[in-house]
Amino acid sequence: VAFEPEKIVKTTPMPDDFDAFWRKARAAAAAIPLDAKCEKNEKCKLKDHDEYRVSFAAPNGRRVYGYFRRPKDASVRAPLRVQVPGAGLGFWSMWPPSPKKGEAQLFMTVFPWEPWGDSGAQQNKYKAMLDGYREKYGCEMYFLAGLPDGLESGFYYPVILGIDRAVTWASQQEGVDPDKVFYYGISQGGGFGLYLTYINPLIKRAVVNVPAFADMHSFKVGHQTTVSKHLYRCSDAKMLEIMRERAPYFDTANFAAKITKPIRFVTGQQDWVCPPHTVFAAYNACGSSDKDLFYTGGDHNSAVDEADGRSEKFLSELKFR
């Protein structure tokens, strides 16, 4: 059997108004007062960094929440690493990984509540949110929730735009070099790397590990979809049809097709969550002349570890443009 993954093409169509839609969305979000909240965490025990709990206004009355960390010595401007966590609720979505020495870090979550605090309360909020989406749309997860009400009502719509504004804010803070902003994310976070690298010109380069939500129409040709266990689990056939119809506006392969910045993709041969053919669809569509795909033998989790040395080398050595 011969297999040429570099010939995989995405099946999800590119909407004719894709660029215009997101350009208009970003302009509309910019018209909303940022209402930035930034509170220093005096109990933070990081040796080299100060930590701040931050939140920002987003469209649809939403807020986005996260953490901003910068080196204690703010006299030297540091590169800014932007991160969004993987999907679901757990320690990974509530607490950022340790920041790299010499880097500032912006870690933004996707849920409409503060990520810090009691984990039991977090679980209750998460369950209530999913129960509401199940009742209203018939869907089991939040990924495509809201889309039956319109593109601007999709769960990720205000989150993408809110975090976009957070990136711009963080780049303007003392101790941050606005010319050295880059992205690193895994799974849902990898998908957000494609969203944000396309939408925010400040992000100069990105590593998108096992990115989710790529080629969401691959089911039409009999292929396993990205996050297939959850993506299209919906008990309402009419709602499901609308979600699938509007998914191309949030398909990360379409965002990848618009990216021209230096970028590295990571996929694993045994990844059943974000299968390699979906990542190859995004990678092959990517418009960057400086791109590479680190293809490992791992699964959804181990693939990232196997490629991390190459990913970090890329982030440390690439000249900012």
Side-chain angles (χ1 to χ4, degrees):
V1 176
F3 181 57
E4 298 177 284
E6 69 278 2
K7 292 185 178 180
I8 293 174
V9 296
K10 68 182 181 71
T11 57
T12 305
M14 176 71 74
D16 292 338
D17 64 340
F18 186 88
D19 290 316
F21 174 81
W22 285 106
R23 190 163 51 245
K24 181 180 177 181
R26 197 167 190 254
I32 300 170
L34 184 61
D35 191 26
K37 307 292 185 185
C38 180
E39 180 181 0
K40 188 174 183 179
N41 180 9
E42 300 293 350
K43 296 181 180 180
C44 176
K45 296 181 180 180
L46 292 172
K47 178 183 177 182
D48 301 312
H49 291 75
D50 290 324
E51 178 180 277
Y52 301 83
R53 295 171 174 175
V54 296
S55 70
F56 308 90
N60 303 344
R62 287 275 296 273
R63 291 190 72 81
V64 291
Y65 299 86
Y67 300 83
F68 171 64
R69 293 160 162 180
R70 65 183 173 197
K72 292 181 183 292
D73 180 6
S75 63
V76 179
R77 297 195 299 177
L80 175 66
R81 179 182 296 247
V82 179
Q83 295 178 269
V84 174
L89 181 70
F91 69 90
W92 64 87
S93 64
M94 293 186 285
W95 307 108
S98 297
K100 304 283 185 181
K101 189 173 182 180
E103 291 181 2
Q105 178 191 51
L106 177 70
F107 178 90
M108 298 298 298
T109 65
V110 303
F111 303 128
W113 60 76
E114 299 172 346
W116 44 87
D118 179 71
S119 60
Q122 296 277 328
Q123 291 289 347
N124 290 337
K125 290 177 181 178
Y126 185 66
K127 182 179 182 300
M129 182 185 75
L130 294 187
D131 286 346
Y133 290 146
R134 188 177 299 112
E135 180 179 354
K136 186 172 183 180
Y137 305 110
C139 57
E140 296 294 318
M141 280 295 278
Y142 57 86
F143 305 142
L144 302 179
L147 284 180
D149 296 331
L151 289 172
E152 293 84 356
S153 298
F155 179 88
Y156 282 135
Y157 178 84
V159 183
I160 294 168
L161 296 168
I163 297 178
D164 168 43
R165 281 151 50 95
V167 171
T168 301
W169 174 90
S171 73
Q172 299 168 345
Q173 301 310 297
E174 183 183 9
V176 174
D177 189 335
D179 294 322
K180 296 183 178 180
V181 180
F182 62 93
Y183 187 93
Y184 180 95
I186 302 169
S187 194
Q188 172 184 254
F192 263 80
L194 296 170
Y195 291 149
L196 295 169
T197 302
Y198 162 71
I199 205 171
N200 193 308
L202 288 169
I203 296 178
K204 300 298 194 299
R205 54 182 174 171
V207 170
V208 291
N209 295 279
V210 293
F213 317 125
D215 205 20
M216 289 192 275
H217 277 199
S218 62
F219 69 92
K220 290 186 175 181
V221 293
H223 293 170
Q224 181 182 345
T225 62
T226 178
V227 286
S228 59
K229 186 177 179 181
H230 299 294
L231 184 65
Y232 290 133
R233 289 190 64 180
C234 181
S235 60
D236 188 310
K238 184 177 180 180
M239 293 284 191
L240 176 59
E241 183 180 355
I242 298 173
M243 290 177 192
R244 285 174 165 172
E245 178 186 337
R246 294 174 176 169
Y249 286 89
F250 297 88
D251 194 306
T252 54
N254 282 340
F255 283 80
K258 301 290 184 176
I259 290 172
T260 58
K261 302 170 187 176
I263 188 168
R264 299 295 183 265
F265 293 72
V266 174
T267 189
Q269 191 174 17
Q270 300 180 68
D271 187 351
W272 59 269
V273 180
C274 299
H277 62 267
T278 67
V279 180
F280 269 102
Y283 171 75
N284 292 339
C286 181
S288 175
S289 60
D290 186 352
K291 67 178 182 178
D292 200 356
L293 189 147
F294 302 148
Y295 188 34
T296 78
D299 59 20
H300 193 61
N301 297 311
S302 63
V304 179
D305 295 333
E306 290 179 31
D308 210 43
R310 285 176 285 174
S311 298
E312 290 297 334
K313 186 173 185 291
F314 162 73
L315 293 174
S316 65
E317 291 183 351
L318 182 68
K319 293 182 179 179
F320 289 96
R321 300 175 182 176

